Amino acid sequence: MTIPEKIYPRTGDLQTIYLKNAITNPNISVGDYTMYNDFVNDPTGFERNNVLYHYPVNQDKLVIGKFCSIACGVRFLFNSANHTSNSLSTYPFPIFWEEWQGQPDNVAAAWDNKGDITIGNDVWLGYEAVILAGVTIGDGAIIGARAVVTRDVPPYTIAAGVPAKPLHKRFDEQTIARLQQLQWWNWPPERIAANLKAIQSGQIDKLN
């Protein structure tokens, strides 16, 4: 088996795509088999519709791992959406540098830079969840529908709400540590296929 280069993995389904194969922005990285479903807009418009305020001037990055499931309407809100809170005014004066005798290379001073957005492997992002700049979501985490994620979410943790808060771990700590050690998402496709029954039934001891 080889890594698929097709955009649409399901015959007749134009709402679900392998996201990696629809990405052109060099500051967005998506792992193999990660899927995005959109029943409202064309899913191939992900960069335009779902990755917001991601302006080249800031050079911030969106990194999404392998085998993630991204539901319709998930948004990634980047640093340029922020207004600085350290100034006496939240007005973005540096953006209007021509009006205020500023410098064009100082535009990024208009907002607080919180860093990149990093999504681990095998993460499920629920319907219309919003992920804010600077957030890291660990492997195997689940984010509830319409959650607003303002802080990091540990691996294999279910988080939901506004702002999102951890609800509980999906597995015990021993199982989580074993899964992170195995990193099955990095196995060759043939090995994953041979272990699908154990993966889908939650039988970690039967993985080989």
Side-chain angles (χ1 to χ4, degrees):
M1 297 174 68
T2 58
I3 304 301
E5 296 182 357
K6 58 189 175 184
I7 290 182
Y8 302 100
R10 287 161 41 91
T11 301
D13 180 3
L14 299 181
Q15 296 181 349
T16 305
I17 63 172
Y18 282 143
L19 185 56
K20 176 180 179 178
N21 300 329
I23 295 299
T24 61
N25 188 327
N27 286 328
I28 301 176
S29 172
V30 179
D32 299 326
Y33 296 100
T34 284
M35 53 83 66
Y36 174 59
N37 172 268
D38 198 321
F39 51 81
V40 177
N41 299 302
D42 180 351
T44 63
F46 178 87
E47 290 178 331
R48 178 182 66 255
N49 298 326
N50 302 75
V51 186
L52 307 181
Y53 296 94
H54 193 216
Y55 301 140
V57 66
N58 214 52
Q59 291 299 305
D60 36 16
K61 293 177 174 56
L62 172 59
V63 179
I64 302 174
K66 301 177 181 179
F67 290 95
C68 292
S69 302
I70 304 176
C72 180
V74 170
R75 301 287 197 276
F76 301 88
L77 204 60
F78 272 89
N79 291 287
S80 300
N82 297 322
H83 290 218
T84 181
S85 58
N86 296 321
S87 171
L88 295 180
S89 171
T90 60
Y91 189 82
F93 287 104
I95 291 177
F96 304 104
W97 60 272
E98 293 170 294
E99 183 76 15
W100 299 102
Q101 300 179 353
Q103 298 295 324
D105 59 357
N106 196 40
V107 169
W111 51 79
D112 294 335
N113 193 333
K114 299 179 182 295
D116 301 333
I117 296 175
T118 304
I119 311 298
N121 304 281
D122 191 27
V123 172
W124 174 18
L125 302 177
Y127 175 71
E128 290 190 344
V130 177
I131 319 299
L132 298 191
V135 164
T136 294
I137 297 177
D139 297 328
I142 297 175
I143 305 302
R146 290 184 171 167
V148 177
V149 185
T150 62
R151 296 183 179 181
D152 293 352
V153 178
Y156 291 95
T157 298
I158 299 175
V162 182
K165 296 180 180 179
L167 302 180
H168 59 83
K169 298 279 190 178
R170 293 178 56 199
F171 308 109
D172 60 59
E173 293 297 338
Q174 183 178 1
T175 301
I176 291 173
R178 180 67 175 143
L179 284 166
Q180 293 193 282
Q181 180 185 41
L182 287 171
Q183 296 186 5
W184 64 262
W185 45 83
N186 288 327
W187 291 354
E190 295 85 356
R191 185 179 177 188
I192 294 174
N195 282 274
L196 271 185
K197 185 175 180 180
I199 291 173
Q200 291 182 298
S201 60
Q203 300 180 78
I204 192 170
D205 293 336
K206 293 189 176 182
L207 294 177
N208 55 66

